[in-house]
Amino acid sequence: MLELEQYDISTEFGFLTELPLERLTNPYYNPWEKFLDNLNAYILHRTVRKQVNNKLPHLSIDKLANEREMRRAYLVLSFLGHAYIWSGEPVDRLPAQISDPWIAVSKALGLPPIATYAAVCLWNFKKIDESGEFTLDNLTTINTFTGSVDESWFYLVSVCFEKEGAFSVKVGLDALNSAETGNTHSLIENLQQFAESIDMLGSVLMRMEEMCDPHVFYFRIRPFLAGWKNMASVGLEKGVYYGDETTPRSYAGGSNAQSSLIQFMDILLGVSHHATGDLTADSSFLTEMREYMPKKHREFLQDLEPHTFTIRDFVKSQNNEELTLAYDACLAMLKSFRDKHIQIVTRYVVLQAKKVNKMGSGSTLRSGLAREKKEEKGTGGTSLLPFLKQCRDETGSAAAGSWGKRILTDGMLRLKYSKSNGINED
């Protein structure tokens, strides 16, 4: 069994840091924290670059005392960096007072210098009532770009998703242990609980619609989360130059694909993903997204990978109808979760993108991904809907039972039929 503690994972909080540091207390870093205090106003008045260029000092990371402080510094510099690039028409060079410490702290944490899922979600929340329970209703964000309720809610739903997913991690590893020890009765119970936990995660995801308006998300929040990989169509031809570097850097922006929990579920259930549109090549995008995860979480997934087919192979070897049904139920719930994700993306990105052409030249100023003529890519830089639909369809292909395989792979079969007959499924 893998010892979760050595990977900075717990059965209570999952992949979350229990409570992130809210502020760097060393006075040396006051300029960073004060800048972030005013970031919403600087973005509002489009003065981010002027304030950075004229007033932000060049600070070293040498006075950061521990990893918790380094995570906070990484978050601060991620917000500063993205605000600098995406406030107004994008620029392709970061000043050294942002890029140098950002590169240094990223190297120390084993992360790329870009605003990752870890920065804006895993390390960006606090309790409203410190003595209260860890629930969505008692959480708020530490920092946002816009200062809006919608942006806070967007991050907090992911925080709650990761917290609730702690049970999925525990019961999933229990299931793996049951399969490895040949305990069929225990495995059935574990898989039933795992299926229920995935269903619960889908319910958490759908809470996005309660307090995050799709229009606000698409035109106000999403542009700041984009990276600088595959972004030529929205203003960054080659990527971004960091400080005085002569070669541009190209990084994907924050994406839910950087959630270790989602990849954990795929590995545990033996779900394989492929390059979008190619059912033979491995998905390089999902493999790449691991480089954007905290180092120890990435190592956890790597150490789990040798067990990818342990549960599936054991289920198929037992010829036990109840066991097969429990396993296929997990896949059904995971596929349903991906259906819900597609629903969210359709409402928050695809339908909003269709509004762009209807907005005249006199409409609100927009930049970056908010001015796309059509939905083409996510903040991670990949083609959005084709990628998500293929991930969903591939989920069912791991089914152990013949009935489950027929039902769960219907989407995949329909996709293959449509392509072979020249039919556009969309």
Side-chain angles (χ1 to χ4, degrees), residues 176 194 260-273 290 298 300-312 327 334 338:
L176 178 60
F194 194 50
S260 302
L261 177 58
I262 295 175
Q263 292 207 23
F264 165 79
M265 293 188 289
D266 278 337
I267 294 172
L268 202 72
L269 294 173
V271 177
S272 300
H273 294 293
R290 290 195 191 175
R298 181 166 68 244
F300 171 72
L301 295 179
Q302 292 169 349
D303 291 346
L304 186 67
E305 276 194 321
H307 306 278
T308 297
F309 300 109
T310 298
I311 293 178
R312 180 185 176 191
Y327 173 78
L334 187 54
R338 288 195 155 109

PDB file of all heavy atoms in Angstrom, residues 176 194 260-273 290 298 300-312 327 334 338:
ATOM      1  N   LEU A 176      -8.076  -1.209  -4.017  1.00  0.00           N
ATOM      2  CA  LEU A 176      -6.849  -1.749  -4.602  1.00  0.00           C
ATOM      3  C   LEU A 176      -6.250  -2.808  -3.688  1.00  0.00           C
ATOM      4  O   LEU A 176      -5.820  -3.885  -4.146  1.00  0.00           O
ATOM      5  CB  LEU A 176      -5.847  -0.618  -4.845  1.00  0.00           C
ATOM      6  CG  LEU A 176      -4.486  -1.013  -5.411  1.00  0.00           C
ATOM      7  CD1 LEU A 176      -4.626  -1.704  -6.755  1.00  0.00           C
ATOM      8  CD2 LEU A 176      -3.580   0.218  -5.538  1.00  0.00           C
ATOM      9  N   PHE A 194     -16.948   3.487  -3.796  1.00  0.00           N
ATOM     10  CA  PHE A 194     -16.205   4.311  -4.746  1.00  0.00           C
ATOM     11  C   PHE A 194     -17.150   4.887  -5.796  1.00  0.00           C
ATOM     12  O   PHE A 194     -17.065   6.070  -6.139  1.00  0.00           O
ATOM     13  CB  PHE A 194     -15.109   3.467  -5.406  1.00  0.00           C
ATOM     14  CG  PHE A 194     -14.070   4.267  -6.154  1.00  0.00           C
ATOM     15  CD1 PHE A 194     -13.441   5.347  -5.564  1.00  0.00           C
ATOM     16  CD2 PHE A 194     -13.709   3.913  -7.451  1.00  0.00           C
ATOM     17  CE1 PHE A 194     -12.476   6.087  -6.254  1.00  0.00           C
ATOM     18  CE2 PHE A 194     -12.753   4.640  -8.145  1.00  0.00           C
ATOM     19  CZ  PHE A 194     -12.129   5.727  -7.547  1.00  0.00           C
ATOM     20  N   SER A 260      -5.099  16.071  -9.621  1.00  0.00           N
ATOM     21  CA  SER A 260      -4.575  14.720  -9.408  1.00  0.00           C
ATOM     22  C   SER A 260      -5.694  13.736  -9.097  1.00  0.00           C
ATOM     23  O   SER A 260      -5.586  12.540  -9.395  1.00  0.00           O
ATOM     24  CB  SER A 260      -3.563  14.722  -8.254  1.00  0.00           C
ATOM     25  OG  SER A 260      -2.500  15.605  -8.515  1.00  0.00           O
ATOM     26  N   LEU A 261      -6.782  14.221  -8.514  1.00  0.00           N
ATOM     27  CA  LEU A 261      -7.895  13.354  -8.153  1.00  0.00           C
ATOM     28  C   LEU A 261      -8.514  12.701  -9.381  1.00  0.00           C
ATOM     29  O   LEU A 261      -8.828  11.501  -9.366  1.00  0.00           O
ATOM     30  CB  LEU A 261      -8.951  14.164  -7.386  1.00  0.00           C
ATOM     31  CG  LEU A 261     -10.231  13.423  -6.991  1.00  0.00           C
ATOM     32  CD1 LEU A 261      -9.905  12.206  -6.120  1.00  0.00           C
ATOM     33  CD2 LEU A 261     -11.187  14.372  -6.271  1.00  0.00           C
ATOM     34  N   ILE A 262      -8.695  13.466 -10.441  1.00  0.00           N
ATOM     35  CA  ILE A 262      -9.313  12.924 -11.651  1.00  0.00           C
ATOM     36  C   ILE A 262      -8.423  11.857 -12.275  1.00  0.00           C
ATOM     37  O   ILE A 262      -8.895  10.788 -12.674  1.00  0.00           O
ATOM     38  CB  ILE A 262      -9.618  14.059 -12.651  1.00  0.00           C
ATOM     39  CG1 ILE A 262     -10.678  14.999 -12.058  1.00  0.00           C
ATOM     40  CG2 ILE A 262     -10.100  13.489 -13.976  1.00  0.00           C
ATOM     41  CD1 ILE A 262     -10.974  16.214 -12.895  1.00  0.00           C
ATOM     42  N   GLN A 263      -7.134  12.135 -12.345  1.00  0.00           N
ATOM     43  CA  GLN A 263      -6.229  11.133 -12.911  1.00  0.00           C
ATOM     44  C   GLN A 263      -6.105   9.926 -11.988  1.00  0.00           C
ATOM     45  O   GLN A 263      -5.902   8.795 -12.463  1.00  0.00           O
ATOM     46  CB  GLN A 263      -4.861  11.756 -13.201  1.00  0.00           C
ATOM     47  CG  GLN A 263      -4.897  12.788 -14.330  1.00  0.00           C
ATOM     48  CD  GLN A 263      -3.566  12.924 -15.048  1.00  0.00           C
ATOM     49  OE1 GLN A 263      -2.738  12.029 -15.047  1.00  0.00           O
ATOM     50  NE2 GLN A 263      -3.371  14.072 -15.704  1.00  0.00           N
ATOM     51  N   PHE A 264      -6.228  10.116 -10.688  1.00  0.00           N
ATOM     52  CA  PHE A 264      -6.223   9.000  -9.739  1.00  0.00           C
ATOM     53  C   PHE A 264      -7.350   8.022 -10.049  1.00  0.00           C
ATOM     54  O   PHE A 264      -7.152   6.797 -10.075  1.00  0.00           O
ATOM     55  CB  PHE A 264      -6.366   9.538  -8.311  1.00  0.00           C
ATOM     56  CG  PHE A 264      -6.734   8.503  -7.289  1.00  0.00           C
ATOM     57  CD1 PHE A 264      -5.782   7.640  -6.771  1.00  0.00           C
ATOM     58  CD2 PHE A 264      -8.054   8.383  -6.846  1.00  0.00           C
ATOM     59  CE1 PHE A 264      -6.123   6.673  -5.828  1.00  0.00           C
ATOM     60  CE2 PHE A 264      -8.405   7.422  -5.909  1.00  0.00           C
ATOM     61  CZ  PHE A 264      -7.433   6.565  -5.398  1.00  0.00           C
ATOM     62  N   MET A 265      -8.544   8.547 -10.297  1.00  0.00           N
ATOM     63  CA  MET A 265      -9.693   7.688 -10.568  1.00  0.00           C
ATOM     64  C   MET A 265      -9.501   6.902 -11.860  1.00  0.00           C
ATOM     65  O   MET A 265      -9.848   5.719 -11.939  1.00  0.00           O
ATOM     66  CB  MET A 265     -10.970   8.520 -10.607  1.00  0.00           C
ATOM     67  CG  MET A 265     -11.336   9.122  -9.250  1.00  0.00           C
ATOM     68  SD  MET A 265     -12.961   9.928  -9.187  1.00  0.00           S
ATOM     69  CE  MET A 265     -12.660  11.393 -10.188  1.00  0.00           C
ATOM     70  N   ASP A 266      -8.946   7.547 -12.872  1.00  0.00           N
ATOM     71  CA  ASP A 266      -8.682   6.856 -14.133  1.00  0.00           C
ATOM     72  C   ASP A 266      -7.695   5.708 -13.953  1.00  0.00           C
ATOM     73  O   ASP A 266      -7.908   4.595 -14.444  1.00  0.00           O
ATOM     74  CB  ASP A 266      -8.135   7.841 -15.170  1.00  0.00           C
ATOM     75  CG  ASP A 266      -9.236   8.635 -15.865  1.00  0.00           C
ATOM     76  OD1 ASP A 266     -10.382   8.155 -15.885  1.00  0.00           O
ATOM     77  OD2 ASP A 266      -8.940   9.727 -16.380  1.00  0.00           O
ATOM     78  N   ILE A 267      -6.599   5.987 -13.247  1.00  0.00           N
ATOM     79  CA  ILE A 267      -5.573   4.952 -13.043  1.00  0.00           C
ATOM     80  C   ILE A 267      -6.149   3.779 -12.269  1.00  0.00           C
ATOM     81  O   ILE A 267      -5.962   2.612 -12.632  1.00  0.00           O
ATOM     82  CB  ILE A 267      -4.355   5.534 -12.298  1.00  0.00           C
ATOM     83  CG1 ILE A 267      -3.632   6.570 -13.168  1.00  0.00           C
ATOM     84  CG2 ILE A 267      -3.387   4.422 -11.901  1.00  0.00           C
ATOM     85  CD1 ILE A 267      -2.531   7.321 -12.443  1.00  0.00           C
ATOM     86  N   LEU A 268      -6.875   4.071 -11.203  1.00  0.00           N
ATOM     87  CA  LEU A 268      -7.397   3.012 -10.344  1.00  0.00           C
ATOM     88  C   LEU A 268      -8.352   2.089 -11.100  1.00  0.00           C
ATOM     89  O   LEU A 268      -8.353   0.868 -10.888  1.00  0.00           O
ATOM     90  CB  LEU A 268      -8.118   3.632  -9.144  1.00  0.00           C
ATOM     91  CG  LEU A 268      -8.266   2.725  -7.927  1.00  0.00           C
ATOM     92  CD1 LEU A 268      -6.919   2.533  -7.246  1.00  0.00           C
ATOM     93  CD2 LEU A 268      -9.268   3.308  -6.953  1.00  0.00           C
ATOM     94  N   LEU A 269      -9.134   2.665 -12.011  1.00  0.00           N
ATOM     95  CA  LEU A 269     -10.128   1.868 -12.728  1.00  0.00           C
ATOM     96  C   LEU A 269      -9.620   1.336 -14.065  1.00  0.00           C
ATOM     97  O   LEU A 269     -10.355   0.684 -14.799  1.00  0.00           O
ATOM     98  CB  LEU A 269     -11.399   2.707 -12.948  1.00  0.00           C
ATOM     99  CG  LEU A 269     -12.156   3.074 -11.668  1.00  0.00           C
ATOM    100  CD1 LEU A 269     -13.294   4.038 -11.976  1.00  0.00           C
ATOM    101  CD2 LEU A 269     -12.688   1.824 -10.969  1.00  0.00           C
ATOM    102  N   GLY A 270      -8.356   1.618 -14.383  1.00  0.00           N
ATOM    103  CA  GLY A 270      -7.788   1.092 -15.614  1.00  0.00           C
ATOM    104  C   GLY A 270      -8.304   1.766 -16.866  1.00  0.00           C
ATOM    105  O   GLY A 270      -8.405   1.137 -17.924  1.00  0.00           O
ATOM    106  N   VAL A 271      -8.640   3.057 -16.760  1.00  0.00           N
ATOM    107  CA  VAL A 271      -9.142   3.811 -17.922  1.00  0.00           C
ATOM    108  C   VAL A 271      -7.956   4.403 -18.672  1.00  0.00           C
ATOM    109  O   VAL A 271      -7.152   5.145 -18.100  1.00  0.00           O
ATOM    110  CB  VAL A 271     -10.094   4.938 -17.478  1.00  0.00           C
ATOM    111  CG1 VAL A 271     -10.540   5.764 -18.688  1.00  0.00           C
ATOM    112  CG2 VAL A 271     -11.307   4.345 -16.759  1.00  0.00           C
ATOM    113  N   SER A 272      -7.843   4.087 -19.945  1.00  0.00           N
ATOM    114  CA  SER A 272      -6.754   4.597 -20.785  1.00  0.00           C
ATOM    115  C   SER A 272      -7.276   5.701 -21.687  1.00  0.00           C
ATOM    116  O   SER A 272      -8.378   5.601 -22.238  1.00  0.00           O
ATOM    117  CB  SER A 272      -6.162   3.470 -21.644  1.00  0.00           C
ATOM    118  OG  SER A 272      -5.643   2.442 -20.836  1.00  0.00           O
ATOM    119  N   HIS A 273      -6.466   6.753 -21.834  1.00  0.00           N
ATOM    120  CA  HIS A 273      -6.834   7.853 -22.722  1.00  0.00           C
ATOM    121  C   HIS A 273      -5.825   7.969 -23.851  1.00  0.00           C
ATOM    122  O   HIS A 273      -4.660   7.603 -23.715  1.00  0.00           O
ATOM    123  CB  HIS A 273      -6.905   9.166 -21.939  1.00  0.00           C
ATOM    124  CG  HIS A 273      -8.012   9.187 -20.925  1.00  0.00           C
ATOM    125  ND1 HIS A 273      -9.340   9.174 -21.282  1.00  0.00           N
ATOM    126  CD2 HIS A 273      -7.986   9.188 -19.564  1.00  0.00           C
ATOM    127  CE1 HIS A 273     -10.083   9.187 -20.194  1.00  0.00           C
ATOM    128  NE2 HIS A 273      -9.283   9.190 -19.138  1.00  0.00           N
ATOM    129  N   ARG A 290       0.537  16.413 -15.801  1.00  0.00           N
ATOM    130  CA  ARG A 290       1.139  16.001 -14.530  1.00  0.00           C
ATOM    131  C   ARG A 290       2.307  16.905 -14.144  1.00  0.00           C
ATOM    132  O   ARG A 290       2.611  17.076 -12.966  1.00  0.00           O
ATOM    133  CB  ARG A 290       1.617  14.553 -14.608  1.00  0.00           C
ATOM    134  CG  ARG A 290       0.478  13.560 -14.663  1.00  0.00           C
ATOM    135  CD  ARG A 290       0.968  12.177 -14.363  1.00  0.00           C
ATOM    136  NE  ARG A 290      -0.049  11.197 -14.666  1.00  0.00           N
ATOM    137  CZ  ARG A 290       0.127   9.900 -14.593  1.00  0.00           C
ATOM    138  NH1 ARG A 290       1.310   9.417 -14.225  1.00  0.00           N
ATOM    139  NH2 ARG A 290      -0.852   9.070 -14.887  1.00  0.00           N
ATOM    140  N   ARG A 298       2.402  14.338  -8.177  1.00  0.00           N
ATOM    141  CA  ARG A 298       2.848  13.731  -9.446  1.00  0.00           C
ATOM    142  C   ARG A 298       3.534  12.391  -9.188  1.00  0.00           C
ATOM    143  O   ARG A 298       3.289  11.403  -9.893  1.00  0.00           O
ATOM    144  CB  ARG A 298       3.793  14.713 -10.137  1.00  0.00           C
ATOM    145  CG  ARG A 298       4.332  14.257 -11.466  1.00  0.00           C
ATOM    146  CD  ARG A 298       4.966  15.427 -12.214  1.00  0.00           C
ATOM    147  NE  ARG A 298       6.178  15.922 -11.602  1.00  0.00           N
ATOM    148  CZ  ARG A 298       6.316  17.142 -11.093  1.00  0.00           C
ATOM    149  NH1 ARG A 298       5.314  17.990 -11.072  1.00  0.00           N
ATOM    150  NH2 ARG A 298       7.476  17.533 -10.578  1.00  0.00           N
ATOM    151  N   PHE A 300       3.020  10.461  -6.650  1.00  0.00           N
ATOM    152  CA  PHE A 300       1.994   9.517  -6.213  1.00  0.00           C
ATOM    153  C   PHE A 300       1.346   8.821  -7.412  1.00  0.00           C
ATOM    154  O   PHE A 300       1.179   7.596  -7.428  1.00  0.00           O
ATOM    155  CB  PHE A 300       0.937  10.249  -5.392  1.00  0.00           C
ATOM    156  CG  PHE A 300      -0.285   9.428  -5.067  1.00  0.00           C
ATOM    157  CD1 PHE A 300      -0.218   8.400  -4.145  1.00  0.00           C
ATOM    158  CD2 PHE A 300      -1.497   9.691  -5.684  1.00  0.00           C
ATOM    159  CE1 PHE A 300      -1.343   7.637  -3.832  1.00  0.00           C
ATOM    160  CE2 PHE A 300      -2.627   8.941  -5.392  1.00  0.00           C
ATOM    161  CZ  PHE A 300      -2.546   7.910  -4.459  1.00  0.00           C
ATOM    162  N   LEU A 301       0.976   9.606  -8.418  1.00  0.00           N
ATOM    163  CA  LEU A 301       0.355   9.020  -9.609  1.00  0.00           C
ATOM    164  C   LEU A 301       1.330   8.098 -10.338  1.00  0.00           C
ATOM    165  O   LEU A 301       0.940   7.031 -10.833  1.00  0.00           O
ATOM    166  CB  LEU A 301      -0.133  10.130 -10.541  1.00  0.00           C
ATOM    167  CG  LEU A 301      -1.258  11.022 -10.002  1.00  0.00           C
ATOM    168  CD1 LEU A 301      -1.613  12.101 -11.025  1.00  0.00           C
ATOM    169  CD2 LEU A 301      -2.483  10.210  -9.628  1.00  0.00           C
ATOM    170  N   GLN A 302       2.579   8.497 -10.389  1.00  0.00           N
ATOM    171  CA  GLN A 302       3.595   7.658 -11.034  1.00  0.00           C
ATOM    172  C   GLN A 302       3.762   6.328 -10.289  1.00  0.00           C
ATOM    173  O   GLN A 302       3.872   5.271 -10.918  1.00  0.00           O
ATOM    174  CB  GLN A 302       4.929   8.410 -11.099  1.00  0.00           C
ATOM    175  CG  GLN A 302       4.920   9.603 -12.049  1.00  0.00           C
ATOM    176  CD  GLN A 302       6.145  10.488 -11.899  1.00  0.00           C
ATOM    177  OE1 GLN A 302       6.930  10.344 -10.960  1.00  0.00           O
ATOM    178  NE2 GLN A 302       6.320  11.422 -12.823  1.00  0.00           N
ATOM    179  N   ASP A 303       3.752   6.376  -8.969  1.00  0.00           N
ATOM    180  CA  ASP A 303       3.912   5.156  -8.180  1.00  0.00           C
ATOM    181  C   ASP A 303       2.657   4.291  -8.216  1.00  0.00           C
ATOM    182  O   ASP A 303       2.722   3.074  -7.971  1.00  0.00           O
ATOM    183  CB  ASP A 303       4.262   5.507  -6.733  1.00  0.00           C
ATOM    184  CG  ASP A 303       5.664   6.101  -6.602  1.00  0.00           C
ATOM    185  OD1 ASP A 303       6.440   5.995  -7.575  1.00  0.00           O
ATOM    186  OD2 ASP A 303       5.971   6.688  -5.546  1.00  0.00           O
ATOM    187  N   LEU A 304       1.514   4.906  -8.493  1.00  0.00           N
ATOM    188  CA  LEU A 304       0.260   4.165  -8.583  1.00  0.00           C
ATOM    189  C   LEU A 304       0.111   3.469  -9.939  1.00  0.00           C
ATOM    190  O   LEU A 304      -0.571   2.439 -10.034  1.00  0.00           O
ATOM    191  CB  LEU A 304      -0.919   5.118  -8.350  1.00  0.00           C
ATOM    192  CG  LEU A 304      -2.323   4.500  -8.273  1.00  0.00           C
ATOM    193  CD1 LEU A 304      -2.458   3.622  -7.038  1.00  0.00           C
ATOM    194  CD2 LEU A 304      -3.386   5.613  -8.266  1.00  0.00           C
ATOM    195  N   GLU A 305       0.747   4.007 -10.960  1.00  0.00           N
ATOM    196  CA  GLU A 305       0.559   3.505 -12.317  1.00  0.00           C
ATOM    197  C   GLU A 305       0.832   2.002 -12.498  1.00  0.00           C
ATOM    198  O   GLU A 305       0.128   1.352 -13.273  1.00  0.00           O
ATOM    199  CB  GLU A 305       1.399   4.314 -13.306  1.00  0.00           C
ATOM    200  CG  GLU A 305       0.697   5.575 -13.749  1.00  0.00           C
ATOM    201  CD  GLU A 305       1.355   6.212 -14.964  1.00  0.00           C
ATOM    202  OE1 GLU A 305       2.598   6.203 -15.010  1.00  0.00           O
ATOM    203  OE2 GLU A 305       0.622   6.690 -15.842  1.00  0.00           O
ATOM    204  N   PRO A 306       1.840   1.415 -11.830  1.00  0.00           N
ATOM    205  CA  PRO A 306       2.035  -0.037 -11.985  1.00  0.00           C
ATOM    206  C   PRO A 306       0.817  -0.868 -11.589  1.00  0.00           C
ATOM    207  O   PRO A 306       0.716  -2.040 -11.959  1.00  0.00           O
ATOM    208  CB  PRO A 306       3.229  -0.328 -11.070  1.00  0.00           C
ATOM    209  CG  PRO A 306       3.980   0.966 -11.007  1.00  0.00           C
ATOM    210  CD  PRO A 306       2.921   2.021 -11.026  1.00  0.00           C
ATOM    211  N   HIS A 307      -0.117  -0.260 -10.843  1.00  0.00           N
ATOM    212  CA  HIS A 307      -1.323  -0.966 -10.399  1.00  0.00           C
ATOM    213  C   HIS A 307      -2.536  -0.625 -11.260  1.00  0.00           C
ATOM    214  O   HIS A 307      -3.674  -0.904 -10.868  1.00  0.00           O
ATOM    215  CB  HIS A 307      -1.621  -0.597  -8.935  1.00  0.00           C
ATOM    216  CG  HIS A 307      -0.473  -0.810  -8.005  1.00  0.00           C
ATOM    217  ND1 HIS A 307      -0.165  -2.036  -7.463  1.00  0.00           N
ATOM    218  CD2 HIS A 307       0.468   0.057  -7.543  1.00  0.00           C
ATOM    219  CE1 HIS A 307       0.901  -1.927  -6.683  1.00  0.00           C
ATOM    220  NE2 HIS A 307       1.304  -0.666  -6.714  1.00  0.00           N
ATOM    221  N   THR A 308      -2.315  -0.039 -12.439  1.00  0.00           N
ATOM    222  CA  THR A 308      -3.406   0.456 -13.270  1.00  0.00           C
ATOM    223  C   THR A 308      -4.480  -0.591 -13.530  1.00  0.00           C
ATOM    224  O   THR A 308      -5.676  -0.297 -13.478  1.00  0.00           O
ATOM    225  CB  THR A 308      -2.861   0.983 -14.610  1.00  0.00           C
ATOM    226  OG1 THR A 308      -1.992   2.087 -14.360  1.00  0.00           O
ATOM    227  CG2 THR A 308      -3.998   1.442 -15.515  1.00  0.00           C
ATOM    228  N   PHE A 309      -4.087  -1.817 -13.829  1.00  0.00           N
ATOM    229  CA  PHE A 309      -5.071  -2.830 -14.210  1.00  0.00           C
ATOM    230  C   PHE A 309      -5.299  -3.881 -13.124  1.00  0.00           C
ATOM    231  O   PHE A 309      -5.928  -4.908 -13.372  1.00  0.00           O
ATOM    232  CB  PHE A 309      -4.634  -3.506 -15.515  1.00  0.00           C
ATOM    233  CG  PHE A 309      -4.506  -2.539 -16.666  1.00  0.00           C
ATOM    234  CD1 PHE A 309      -3.255  -2.204 -17.174  1.00  0.00           C
ATOM    235  CD2 PHE A 309      -5.624  -1.943 -17.216  1.00  0.00           C
ATOM    236  CE1 PHE A 309      -3.130  -1.311 -18.213  1.00  0.00           C
ATOM    237  CE2 PHE A 309      -5.512  -1.042 -18.256  1.00  0.00           C
ATOM    238  CZ  PHE A 309      -4.261  -0.717 -18.760  1.00  0.00           C
ATOM    239  N   THR A 310      -4.801  -3.627 -11.923  1.00  0.00           N
ATOM    240  CA  THR A 310      -4.944  -4.606 -10.849  1.00  0.00           C
ATOM    241  C   THR A 310      -6.410  -4.917 -10.541  1.00  0.00           C
ATOM    242  O   THR A 310      -6.828  -6.077 -10.501  1.00  0.00           O
ATOM    243  CB  THR A 310      -4.237  -4.113  -9.575  1.00  0.00           C
ATOM    244  OG1 THR A 310      -2.841  -3.959  -9.829  1.00  0.00           O
ATOM    245  CG2 THR A 310      -4.439  -5.094  -8.428  1.00  0.00           C
ATOM    246  N   ILE A 311      -7.203  -3.884 -10.306  1.00  0.00           N
ATOM    247  CA  ILE A 311      -8.616  -4.099  -9.968  1.00  0.00           C
ATOM    248  C   ILE A 311      -9.366  -4.676 -11.156  1.00  0.00           C
ATOM    249  O   ILE A 311     -10.104  -5.665 -11.025  1.00  0.00           O
ATOM    250  CB  ILE A 311      -9.255  -2.773  -9.507  1.00  0.00           C
ATOM    251  CG1 ILE A 311      -8.644  -2.318  -8.176  1.00  0.00           C
ATOM    252  CG2 ILE A 311     -10.767  -2.926  -9.376  1.00  0.00           C
ATOM    253  CD1 ILE A 311      -9.167  -0.991  -7.667  1.00  0.00           C
ATOM    254  N   ARG A 312      -9.179  -4.095 -12.314  1.00  0.00           N
ATOM    255  CA  ARG A 312      -9.899  -4.556 -13.504  1.00  0.00           C
ATOM    256  C   ARG A 312      -9.579  -6.026 -13.818  1.00  0.00           C
ATOM    257  O   ARG A 312     -10.490  -6.820 -14.093  1.00  0.00           O
ATOM    258  CB  ARG A 312      -9.544  -3.672 -14.701  1.00  0.00           C
ATOM    259  CG  ARG A 312     -10.250  -4.060 -15.996  1.00  0.00           C
ATOM    260  CD  ARG A 312      -9.736  -3.219 -17.141  1.00  0.00           C
ATOM    261  NE  ARG A 312     -10.321  -3.634 -18.397  1.00  0.00           N
ATOM    262  CZ  ARG A 312      -9.910  -3.217 -19.585  1.00  0.00           C
ATOM    263  NH1 ARG A 312      -8.897  -2.358 -19.660  1.00  0.00           N
ATOM    264  NH2 ARG A 312     -10.480  -3.634 -20.682  1.00  0.00           N
ATOM    265  N   TYR A 327     -17.905  -2.888 -10.255  1.00  0.00           N
ATOM    266  CA  TYR A 327     -16.820  -2.250 -11.009  1.00  0.00           C
ATOM    267  C   TYR A 327     -17.379  -1.403 -12.153  1.00  0.00           C
ATOM    268  O   TYR A 327     -16.992  -0.241 -12.331  1.00  0.00           O
ATOM    269  CB  TYR A 327     -15.873  -3.321 -11.552  1.00  0.00           C
ATOM    270  CG  TYR A 327     -14.809  -2.793 -12.482  1.00  0.00           C
ATOM    271  CD1 TYR A 327     -13.677  -2.140 -11.991  1.00  0.00           C
ATOM    272  CD2 TYR A 327     -14.936  -2.921 -13.872  1.00  0.00           C
ATOM    273  CE1 TYR A 327     -12.708  -1.643 -12.842  1.00  0.00           C
ATOM    274  CE2 TYR A 327     -13.962  -2.425 -14.730  1.00  0.00           C
ATOM    275  CZ  TYR A 327     -12.856  -1.792 -14.211  1.00  0.00           C
ATOM    276  OH  TYR A 327     -11.901  -1.298 -15.060  1.00  0.00           O
ATOM    277  N   LEU A 334     -18.203   7.521 -13.335  1.00  0.00           N
ATOM    278  CA  LEU A 334     -17.123   8.356 -13.856  1.00  0.00           C
ATOM    279  C   LEU A 334     -17.489   8.931 -15.221  1.00  0.00           C
ATOM    280  O   LEU A 334     -17.195  10.086 -15.525  1.00  0.00           O
ATOM    281  CB  LEU A 334     -15.825   7.545 -13.954  1.00  0.00           C
ATOM    282  CG  LEU A 334     -14.555   8.309 -14.334  1.00  0.00           C
ATOM    283  CD1 LEU A 334     -14.317   9.492 -13.400  1.00  0.00           C
ATOM    284  CD2 LEU A 334     -13.348   7.377 -14.323  1.00  0.00           C
ATOM    285  N   ARG A 338     -18.104  12.910 -16.274  1.00  0.00           N
ATOM    286  CA  ARG A 338     -17.550  13.582 -17.451  1.00  0.00           C
ATOM    287  C   ARG A 338     -18.655  14.193 -18.309  1.00  0.00           C
ATOM    288  O   ARG A 338     -18.451  15.231 -18.947  1.00  0.00           O
ATOM    289  CB  ARG A 338     -16.684  12.604 -18.247  1.00  0.00           C
ATOM    290  CG  ARG A 338     -15.373  12.294 -17.537  1.00  0.00           C
ATOM    291  CD  ARG A 338     -14.345  11.626 -18.415  1.00  0.00           C
ATOM    292  NE  ARG A 338     -13.016  11.886 -17.908  1.00  0.00           N
ATOM    293  CZ  ARG A 338     -12.224  10.984 -17.328  1.00  0.00           C
ATOM    294  NH1 ARG A 338     -12.636   9.719 -17.193  1.00  0.00           N
ATOM    295  NH2 ARG A 338     -11.020  11.316 -16.895  1.00  0.00           N
TER     296      ARG A 338
END
